[in-house]
Amino acid sequence: QKEVEQNSGPLSVPEGAIASLNCTYSDRGSQSFFWYRQYSGKSPELIMFIYSNGDKEDGRFTAQLNKASQYVSLLIRDSQPSDSATYLCAAWTGTYKYIFGTGTRLKVLA
Amino acid sequence: DAGVIQSPRHEVTEMGQEVTLRCKPISGHNSLFWYRQTMMRGLELLIYFNNNVPIDDSGMPEDRFSAKMPNASFSTLKIQPSEPRDSAVYFCASSRGQGISGNTIYFGEGSWLTVV
């Protein structure tokens, strides 16, 4: 069964630190990967997506993809308490199928 | 631009009652998804529509669940009869369905269902 695995956390980091969120996937045919942020009681909102090996930066966020290792990560620089949320990793398999991980809960401590 | 619009936002109903959840996708999006989210199982795809046609309903738990998309701007998810184990958040999502960036899916605010 195709899966996306995430550590459920919580991952606690102090304010101003770098938060590193990780995700592994089992389907080598996955073509692109999405990071969503979900605040408690809210819907998932897109942070960014990546489909090429390497890094992709958007403001304080950097997504990293290593297809050989089937590994995706999201780095959040200068973490703020407002970044405290659950972060969902999703793999798009090239059709309509998105495989979502169960999410990592991040807590940024003021 | 208006996002994906869902109603009702919250629903509390008694076991055995019919529940209808509604969704209006983003204009111009031709792919629509219904997801269910629970603490135990995370986000599960229930059904996928492309150009108003159901393509994959393998995630629909059982015959008590049905979904329709009569036109490009409206979809419903119906549960009849409802059971307490159906209590979850139901998300509708849509995407343009073209190319990698076009396959970004956008979620509605969700319908929080409690069956007592």
Side-chain angles (χ1 to χ4, degrees):
Chain A
Q1 184 173 343
K2 300 172 183 177
E3 292 182 340
V4 171
E5 300 283 348
Q6 295 182 258
N7 189 315
S8 62
L11 172 67
S12 295
V13 299
E15 183 176 358
I18 296 175
S20 178
L21 304 161
N22 305 315
C23 168
T24 59
Y25 60 95
S26 63
D27 182 8
R28 287 193 172 273
S30 298
Q31 298 189 16
S32 57
F33 303 86
F34 298 80
W35 283 101
Y36 287 83
R37 176 176 62 198
Q38 187 175 22
Y39 291 113
S40 180
K42 300 294 186 181
S43 61
E45 56 180 336
L46 179 71
I47 298 174
M48 62 192 303
F49 65 86
I50 185 168
Y51 53 86
S52 297
N53 273 329
D55 295 0
K56 179 181 179 182
E57 187 174 317
D58 184 358
R60 294 187 298 113
F61 300 96
T62 299
Q64 299 175 318
L65 173 60
N66 183 324
K67 290 187 177 180
S69 301
Q70 297 177 245
Y71 181 89
V72 191
S73 64
L74 180 70
L75 302 178
I76 307 175
R77 289 182 299 281
D78 189 24
S79 296
Q80 301 297 309
S82 59
D83 294 325
S84 298
T86 296
Y87 289 79
L88 301 171
C89 173
W92 177 56
T93 60
T95 56
Y96 57 89
K97 287 281 194 179
Y98 297 81
I99 311 299
F100 280 89
T102 53
T104 298
R105 191 155 63 95
L106 173 67
K107 299 175 78 172
V108 181
L109 307 173
Chain B
D1 290 340
V4 177
I5 299 172
Q6 292 186 244
S7 66
R9 291 294 314 280
H10 299 273
E11 176 96 4
V12 181
T13 190
E14 292 184 345
M15 182 173 62
Q17 295 298 304
E18 178 179 294
V19 174
T20 299
L21 309 179
R22 298 172 178 80
C23 175
K24 176 179 168 57
I26 294 172
S27 177
H29 284 193
N30 62 3
S31 295
L32 184 138
F33 308 80
W34 281 99
Y35 284 90
R36 179 172 64 179
Q37 187 177 41
T38 61
M39 289 291 292
M40 291 296 294
R41 301 173 69 91
L43 271 169
E44 300 175 279
L45 177 65
L46 299 178
I47 188 168
Y48 161 66
F49 291 89
N50 183 256
N51 291 323
N52 314 336
V53 176
I55 303 299
D56 183 355
D57 65 355
S58 60
M60 297 286 262
E62 47 199 271
D63 292 346
R64 298 186 297 107
F65 286 68
S66 62
K68 295 181 180 179
M69 191 166 186
N71 57 62
S73 58
F74 184 66
S75 177
T76 59
L77 177 67
K78 184 176 295 186
I79 308 172
Q80 167 64 18
S82 58
E83 296 183 1
R85 60 191 169 120
D86 301 330
S87 298
V89 185
Y90 291 82
F91 287 108
C92 179
S94 70
S95 77
R96 282 190 289 115
Q98 297 171 8
I100 292 175
S101 60
N103 279 289
T104 299
I105 58 174
Y106 297 90
F107 288 84
E109 291 297 308
S111 292
W112 300 72
L113 175 64
T114 302
V115 183
V116 298

